[in-house]
Amino acid sequence: MNEVTERVARLRSYLAADPGNIQLACDLVDGQFAAGDFVDADASIAALPSAAQGAAGIRFRRARCALVLGRHAEASQLLEALIADGHENVALWHDLAFAQLCKRQTRA
């Protein structure tokens, strides 16, 4: 095991003990991203309790997973919702533009 996979395994065990911990969930998904495990990251997000699903950090990471996994329409919807909720961030706009480019659409 390398350092990233060891960290992911450790975070996964911590999150199992505290499944509603948003920061742990974000750290786990970020580690999975770093390892290139986007399918596992997507599964980790889907396995979170429903109360955690609405957190902005989780929604952003779900959008990133959708984008990388080729679900561009889903990514666009998630990112547009985050922006509509007042989460103004250059990363959101960048990812939204990329998702729409991939869909061959422009923002209306």
Side-chain angles (χ1 to χ4, degrees):
M1 255 193 213
N2 68 30
E3 186 177 317
V4 173
T5 56
E6 287 177 7
R7 183 171 191 271
V8 166
R10 189 172 53 254
L11 288 168
R12 189 184 310 275
S13 70
Y14 295 159
L15 189 60
D18 188 6
N21 188 318
I22 303 299
Q23 188 59 54
L24 274 177
C26 289
D27 289 346
L28 170 62
V29 172
D30 290 345
Q32 291 168 316
F33 285 174
D37 294 333
F38 292 93
V39 172
D40 287 344
D42 198 40
S44 293
I45 291 169
L48 291 171
S50 59
Q53 297 288 333
I58 298 300
R59 291 166 48 206
F60 174 69
R61 285 161 178 85
R62 174 180 283 137
R64 280 264 164 108
C65 282
L67 189 58
V68 171
L69 296 174
R71 299 187 318 248
H72 303 119
E74 178 186 349
S76 289
Q77 289 176 330
L78 289 164
L79 293 163
E80 287 172 351
L82 281 164
I83 291 167
D85 288 348
H87 301 285
E88 291 287 328
N89 184 300
V90 71
L92 295 174
W93 286 104
H94 174 273
D95 286 0
L96 178 58
F98 185 69
Q100 290 179 341
L101 176 69
C102 290
K103 288 182 352 175
R104 301 193 189 283
Q105 293 183 355
T106 58
R107 184 161 171 79

